[in-house]
Amino acid sequence: MADKQISLPAKLINGGIAGLIGVTCVFPIDLAKTRLQNQQNGQRMYSSLSDCLIKTIRSEGYFGMYRGAAVNLTLVTPEKAIKLAANDFFRHHLSKDGKKLTLLKEMLAGCGAGTCQVIVTTPMEMLKIQLQDAGRIAAQKKLMAQQAQISSSPAAAAAEPAMERHPTATQITRELLRSKGIAGLYKGLGATLLRDVPFSIVYFPLFANLNKLGQKDPNVKAPFYVSFLSGCVAGSTAAVAVNPCDVIKTRLQSLQRGVNEDTYSGILDCTKKIWQREGPTAFFKGAYCRALVIAPLFGIAQVVYFVGIAEFLLDMLPKHRA
């Protein structure tokens, strides 16, 4: 089936709307994923997704689950717009001969989309991870201080410790630009590519082929629920497949470390230390959280994108002007 051509503004708006809706729905799970991935053996603050969310609400309040959401909501519009529009762009140019796209060409289109999106994804993830993980580090320091006080003076441990102020995205950005320049915001670029390119190579061909199963006519779009389910299945499958790369990326981009936690000099060093000190299962920390985040996120994204909300809005503009 030749894909119906949608204007570039419509693609960008559709991608942006999809990203905003998706992030709002699943951000607390994404925060839990980051905290679970970053904690290392011997310094475990959380035992599961539910344990992480319950402890976050108790220590930081309900809105603590949305720490870092503002960064995502600001940058997810261009990120998702670039990803979805780039995939369409590459699919269109790879199918100019009028023939059905082969699996290899679908994978190449996904590869191009994943490569393009890291322009926005890397700084977005860099800032988001610092904000999401600040609560875990603060809670760990508080626990260690309480344990030290109990061992030295039980009476002193009863005193409430001073509330630690968390840095804002603006403060982190300014400090990174001041100390390291623009490269500071792109720390972990290689690891982000290592995650997002394979993700797109798996996701887009899988979604396209699953979505086709729900099409009764090759020239008619699949029902919205088929696009939603296809996005969920393809997204969760791709998310789990590249989770080891996501763990490495999260560890490399974290600027602050908990007590006695490892630091890493690069992708190979990070991979080696995780394997040796935490075992191979550590590469799948937060995998089910990531699947729970990506499944609805991309399901919603594909529904919005394929339904074409932006096309309707853009078509209405001339009528309002008239």
Side-chain angles (χ1 to χ4, degrees), residues 159-214:
E160 187 70 23
M163 184 67 71
E164 184 172 339
R165 291 179 62 86
H166 298 302
T168 65
T170 303
Q171 290 171 336
I172 295 170
T173 302
R174 285 176 179 170
E175 178 57 27
L176 285 171
L177 291 174
R178 184 192 64 79
S179 60
K180 300 181 180 179
I182 193 69
L185 289 173
Y186 281 88
K187 182 181 179 183
L189 174 62
T192 306
L193 280 166
L194 195 63
R195 180 196 69 173
D196 288 349
V197 171
F199 177 93
S200 295
I201 288 173
V202 173
Y203 172 78
F204 283 111
L206 183 56
F207 168 78
N209 286 282
L210 288 174
N211 198 54
K212 284 176 186 176
L213 296 177

Coordinates of all heavy atoms in Angstrom, one line a residue, residues 159-214:
A159 N 15.6 14.1 65.5 CA 15.5 15.4 64.9 C 15.2 15.3 63.4 O 15.8 14.5 62.7 CB 16.8 16.2 65.1
E160 N 14.3 16.1 62.8 CA 14.0 16.1 61.4 C 15.1 16.7 60.6 O 15.4 17.9 60.9 CB 12.7 16.8 61.2 CG 12.1 16.7 59.8 CD 11.6 15.3 59.4 OE1 11.3 14.6 60.3 OE2 11.6 15.0 58.2
P161 N 15.7 16.1 59.6 CA 16.8 16.7 58.9 C 16.2 17.8 58.0 O 15.1 17.8 57.6 CB 17.3 15.5 58.0 CG 16.1 14.5 57.9 CD 15.4 14.7 59.2
A162 N 17.1 18.7 57.6 CA 16.7 19.8 56.8 C 16.3 19.3 55.4 O 16.9 18.4 54.8 CB 17.9 20.8 56.7
M163 N 15.3 20.0 54.8 CA 14.8 19.6 53.5 C 15.8 20.0 52.4 O 16.2 21.1 52.4 CB 13.4 20.3 53.2 CG 12.8 19.9 51.9 SD 12.2 18.1 51.9 CE 10.8 18.2 53.0
E164 N 16.2 19.0 51.6 CA 17.1 19.3 50.6 C 16.5 19.9 49.3 O 15.4 19.4 48.9 CB 17.9 18.0 50.2 CG 19.0 18.3 49.2 CD 19.8 17.0 49.0 OE1 19.9 16.2 49.9 OE2 20.5 16.9 47.9
R165 N 17.0 21.0 48.8 CA 16.4 21.6 47.6 C 16.9 20.9 46.4 O 18.1 20.7 46.2 CB 16.8 23.1 47.6 CG 16.1 23.9 48.7 CD 16.6 25.4 48.6 NE 16.1 26.0 47.3 CZ 14.9 26.5 47.1 NH1 14.1 26.5 48.1 NH2 14.6 27.0 46.0
H166 N 16.0 20.6 45.5 CA 16.4 19.9 44.2 C 16.6 21.0 43.2 O 16.0 22.0 43.1 CB 15.2 19.0 43.8 CG 14.9 17.9 44.7 ND1 15.9 17.0 45.1 CD2 13.8 17.5 45.3 CE1 15.3 16.1 45.9 NE2 14.0 16.4 46.1
P167 N 17.7 20.7 42.3 CA 18.0 21.7 41.3 C 16.9 21.7 40.2 O 16.2 20.7 40.0 CB 19.3 21.2 40.7 CG 19.2 19.7 41.0 CD 18.5 19.6 42.3
T168 N 16.7 22.8 39.5 CA 15.7 22.9 38.5 C 16.4 22.6 37.1 O 17.6 22.6 37.0 CB 15.1 24.4 38.4 OG1 16.2 25.3 38.1 CG2 14.5 24.8 39.7
A169 N 15.6 22.4 36.1 CA 16.1 22.1 34.8 C 17.0 23.3 34.3 O 18.0 23.1 33.6 CB 15.0 21.8 33.8
T170 N 16.5 24.5 34.6 CA 17.2 25.7 34.1 C 18.6 25.8 34.8 O 19.6 26.1 34.1 CB 16.4 27.0 34.5 OG1 15.1 26.9 33.9 CG2 17.1 28.3 34.0
Q171 N 18.6 25.5 36.1 CA 19.9 25.6 36.8 C 20.9 24.5 36.3 O 22.1 24.8 36.1 CB 19.7 25.3 38.3 CG 19.0 26.5 39.0 CD 18.6 26.1 40.4 OE1 18.4 25.0 40.8 NE2 18.4 27.2 41.2
I172 N 20.4 23.3 36.0 CA 21.2 22.2 35.5 C 21.8 22.6 34.1 O 22.9 22.4 33.8 CB 20.5 20.9 35.4 CG1 20.1 20.4 36.8 CG2 21.3 19.8 34.7 CD1 19.1 19.3 36.8
T173 N 20.9 23.2 33.3 CA 21.3 23.6 31.9 C 22.4 24.6 31.9 O 23.4 24.6 31.2 CB 20.1 24.1 31.1 OG1 19.0 23.1 31.1 CG2 20.4 24.5 29.7
R174 N 22.2 25.7 32.8 CA 23.1 26.7 32.9 C 24.5 26.2 33.4 O 25.5 26.6 32.9 CB 22.6 27.8 33.9 CG 21.5 28.7 33.3 CD 21.0 29.7 34.3 NE 20.0 30.5 33.8 CZ 19.2 31.3 34.5 NH1 19.4 31.3 35.8 NH2 18.3 32.1 34.0
E175 N 24.5 25.3 34.3 CA 25.7 24.8 34.9 C 26.5 23.9 33.8 O 27.7 24.0 33.7 CB 25.4 23.9 36.1 CG 26.6 23.3 36.8 CD 27.7 24.3 37.2 OE1 27.4 25.4 37.4 OE2 28.9 23.8 37.2
L176 N 25.7 23.1 33.1 CA 26.3 22.3 32.0 C 26.9 23.2 30.9 O 28.0 22.9 30.5 CB 25.3 21.3 31.5 CG 24.9 20.1 32.3 CD1 23.7 19.4 31.7 CD2 26.1 19.2 32.5
L177 N 26.2 24.2 30.5 CA 26.7 25.1 29.5 C 27.9 25.9 29.9 O 28.8 26.1 29.2 CB 25.5 26.0 29.0 CG 24.4 25.4 28.2 CD1 23.3 26.4 28.0 CD2 24.9 24.8 26.9
R178 N 27.8 26.3 31.2 CA 29.0 27.1 31.8 C 30.2 26.2 31.9 O 31.3 26.7 31.5 CB 28.6 27.6 33.1 CG 29.7 28.5 33.8 CD 29.4 28.8 35.2 NE 29.4 27.6 36.0 CZ 30.6 27.0 36.4 NH1 31.7 27.6 36.1 NH2 30.5 25.9 37.2
S179 N 30.1 25.0 32.3 CA 31.3 24.1 32.6 C 31.7 23.3 31.4 O 32.9 23.1 31.2 CB 31.0 23.2 33.8 OG 29.9 22.3 33.4
K180 N 30.8 22.9 30.5 CA 31.2 22.0 29.5 C 30.7 22.4 28.1 O 31.0 21.8 27.1 CB 30.6 20.6 29.7 CG 31.2 20.0 31.0 CD 30.6 18.6 31.2 CE 31.2 18.0 32.5 NZ 30.7 16.6 32.8
G181 N 30.0 23.5 28.0 CA 29.5 24.0 26.7 C 28.3 23.1 26.3 O 27.7 22.3 27.0
I182 N 28.0 23.2 25.0 CA 26.8 22.5 24.5 C 27.1 21.0 24.5 O 26.1 20.2 24.6 CB 26.6 22.9 23.0 CG1 25.2 22.4 22.5 CG2 27.7 22.4 22.1 CD1 24.1 23.0 23.1
A183 N 28.3 20.6 24.6 CA 28.6 19.1 24.7 C 28.1 18.5 26.0 O 27.8 17.3 26.1 CB 30.1 18.9 24.6
G184 N 28.0 19.4 27.0 CA 27.5 18.9 28.3 C 26.1 18.4 28.2 O 25.7 17.4 28.9
L185 N 25.3 19.0 27.4 CA 23.9 18.6 27.2 C 23.8 17.3 26.3 O 22.7 16.7 26.3 CB 23.0 19.7 26.5 CG 22.7 20.9 27.4 CD1 22.1 22.0 26.6 CD2 21.9 20.6 28.6
Y186 N 24.9 17.0 25.6 CA 24.9 15.9 24.7 C 25.7 14.7 25.3 O 26.1 13.9 24.6 CB 25.3 16.3 23.3 CG 24.2 16.9 22.6 CD1 24.0 18.3 22.6 CD2 23.3 16.2 21.8 CE1 22.9 18.9 22.0 CE2 22.3 16.7 21.1 CZ 22.1 18.1 21.2 OH 21.0 18.7 20.5
K187 N 25.9 14.7 26.6 CA 26.6 13.6 27.2 C 25.8 12.4 27.1 O 24.6 12.4 27.3 CB 26.8 13.9 28.7 CG 27.6 12.8 29.4 CD 27.7 13.1 30.9 CE 28.4 11.9 31.6 NZ 28.6 12.1 33.1
G188 N 26.4 11.3 26.7 CA 25.6 10.0 26.4 C 25.0 10.0 25.1 O 24.1 9.1 24.8
L189 N 25.5 10.8 24.1 CA 24.9 10.8 22.8 C 25.1 9.4 22.1 O 24.2 8.9 21.5 CB 25.6 11.9 21.9 CG 25.3 11.9 20.4 CD1 23.8 12.2 20.2 CD2 26.1 13.0 19.7
G190 N 26.3 8.8 22.3 CA 26.6 7.5 21.7 C 25.6 6.5 22.2 O 25.1 5.6 21.5
A191 N 25.4 6.5 23.6 CA 24.5 5.5 24.2 C 23.1 5.7 23.8 O 22.3 4.8 23.6 CB 24.6 5.6 25.7
T192 N 22.7 7.0 23.5 CA 21.3 7.3 23.1 C 21.1 6.8 21.7 O 20.1 6.2 21.4 CB 21.1 8.8 23.1 OG1 21.4 9.3 24.4 CG2 19.6 9.2 22.8
L193 N 22.1 7.0 20.8 CA 22.0 6.4 19.5 C 22.0 4.9 19.5 O 21.2 4.2 18.8 CB 23.3 6.8 18.6 CG 23.2 8.2 18.0 CD1 24.6 8.6 17.5 CD2 22.2 8.3 16.9
L194 N 22.7 4.3 20.4 CA 22.8 2.8 20.6 C 21.4 2.3 21.0 O 21.1 1.1 20.7 CB 23.8 2.5 21.6 CG 24.3 1.0 21.7 CD1 25.0 0.6 20.4 CD2 25.2 0.8 22.9
R195 N 20.6 3.1 21.7 CA 19.3 2.7 22.1 C 18.2 3.0 21.1 O 17.4 2.2 20.7 CB 18.9 3.4 23.5 CG 17.5 3.0 24.0 CD 17.0 4.0 25.0 NE 16.7 5.3 24.4 CZ 16.1 6.3 25.1 NH1 15.8 6.1 26.4 NH2 15.9 7.4 24.6
D196 N 18.2 4.3 20.6 CA 17.1 4.7 19.8 C 17.2 4.2 18.3 O 16.1 4.0 17.7 CB 17.1 6.3 19.8 CG 16.6 6.8 21.1 OD1 16.1 6.0 21.9 OD2 16.7 8.0 21.3
V197 N 18.3 4.0 17.8 CA 18.4 3.5 16.4 C 17.9 2.1 16.3 O 17.0 1.7 15.5 CB 19.8 3.6 15.8 CG1 19.9 2.9 14.5 CG2 20.2 5.1 15.6
P198 N 18.4 1.1 17.2 CA 17.8 -0.2 17.2 C 16.3 -0.2 17.5 O 15.6 -1.0 17.0 CB 18.6 -1.0 18.2 CG 19.9 -0.2 18.3 CD 19.6 1.2 18.1
F199 N 15.9 0.6 18.5 CA 14.5 0.7 18.8 C 13.6 1.0 17.6 O 12.6 0.3 17.3 CB 14.3 1.8 19.9 CG 12.8 2.0 20.2 CD1 12.3 1.3 21.3 CD2 12.0 2.8 19.5 CE1 10.9 1.4 21.6 CE2 10.6 3.0 19.8 CZ 10.1 2.3 20.9
S200 N 14.1 2.0 16.8 CA 13.3 2.4 15.6 C 13.3 1.3 14.6 O 12.4 1.1 13.8 CB 13.8 3.7 15.1 OG 13.6 4.8 16.0
I201 N 14.5 0.7 14.5 CA 14.6 -0.4 13.5 C 13.6 -1.6 13.8 O 13.1 -2.2 12.9 CB 16.1 -1.0 13.5 CG1 17.0 0.1 12.8 CG2 16.2 -2.3 12.7 CD1 18.5 -0.3 12.9
V202 N 13.4 -1.8 15.1 CA 12.5 -2.9 15.5 C 11.0 -2.3 15.4 O 10.1 -3.0 14.9 CB 12.8 -3.4 16.9 CG1 11.7 -4.3 17.4 CG2 14.1 -4.1 16.9
Y203 N 10.8 -1.1 16.0 CA 9.5 -0.6 16.1 C 8.7 -0.4 14.9 O 7.6 -0.8 14.7 CB 9.5 0.6 17.0 CG 8.2 1.3 17.1 CD1 7.2 0.8 17.9 CD2 7.9 2.4 16.3 CE1 5.9 1.4 17.9 CE2 6.6 3.0 16.3 CZ 5.6 2.5 17.1 OH 4.4 3.0 17.2
F204 N 9.3 0.5 14.0 CA 8.5 0.9 12.8 C 8.1 -0.2 11.9 O 6.9 -0.3 11.4 CB 9.3 2.0 12.1 CG 9.2 3.4 12.8 CD1 10.3 3.9 13.4 CD2 8.0 4.1 12.9 CE1 10.2 5.1 14.1 CE2 7.9 5.3 13.5 CZ 9.0 5.8 14.1
P205 N 9.0 -1.1 11.5 CA 8.6 -2.2 10.6 C 7.5 -3.1 11.3 O 6.6 -3.6 10.7 CB 9.9 -3.0 10.3 CG 11.0 -2.0 10.6 CD 10.5 -1.1 11.7
L206 N 7.7 -3.4 12.6 CA 6.8 -4.2 13.3 C 5.4 -3.6 13.4 O 4.4 -4.2 13.2 CB 7.3 -4.5 14.8 CG 6.5 -5.4 15.6 CD1 6.3 -6.8 14.9 CD2 7.2 -5.6 17.0
F207 N 5.4 -2.3 13.7 CA 4.1 -1.6 13.7 C 3.4 -1.6 12.4 O 2.2 -1.9 12.3 CB 4.3 -0.1 14.2 CG 3.0 0.7 14.0 CD1 2.0 0.6 14.8 CD2 2.9 1.5 12.8 CE1 0.8 1.4 14.6 CE2 1.8 2.3 12.6 CZ 0.7 2.2 13.5
A208 N 4.2 -1.3 11.3 CA 3.6 -1.2 10.0 C 3.0 -2.5 9.6 O 1.9 -2.5 9.0 CB 4.7 -0.8 9.0
N209 N 3.6 -3.6 9.9 CA 3.1 -4.9 9.5 C 2.0 -5.4 10.4 O 1.0 -6.0 9.9 CB 4.3 -6.0 9.5 CG 5.2 -5.8 8.3 OD1 4.9 -6.2 7.2 ND2 6.4 -5.2 8.6
L210 N 2.0 -5.1 11.7 CA 0.9 -5.4 12.5 C -0.4 -4.6 12.1 O -1.5 -5.1 12.1 CB 1.2 -5.1 14.0 CG 2.2 -6.1 14.7 CD1 2.6 -5.6 16.0 CD2 1.6 -7.5 14.7
N211 N -0.1 -3.3 11.8 CA -1.2 -2.4 11.4 C -1.9 -2.9 10.1 O -3.1 -2.7 10.0 CB -0.7 -1.0 11.3 CG -1.8 0.1 11.3 OD1 -2.6 0.1 12.3 ND2 -1.9 0.9 10.3
K212 N -1.1 -3.4 9.2 CA -1.7 -3.9 8.0 C -2.6 -5.1 8.2 O -3.5 -5.3 7.4 CB -0.5 -4.3 7.0 CG 0.2 -3.2 6.4 CD 1.4 -3.7 5.5 CE 2.2 -2.5 5.0 NZ 3.4 -3.0 4.3
L213 N -2.4 -5.8 9.2 CA -3.3 -7.0 9.5 C -4.7 -6.5 9.8 O -5.6 -7.3 9.6 CB -2.7 -7.8 10.7 CG -1.4 -8.4 10.5 CD1 -0.9 -9.1 11.8 CD2 -1.4 -9.5 9.4
G214 N -4.9 -5.3 10.2 CA -6.2 -4.8 10.5 C -6.8 -4.0 9.4 O -7.9 -3.5 9.6

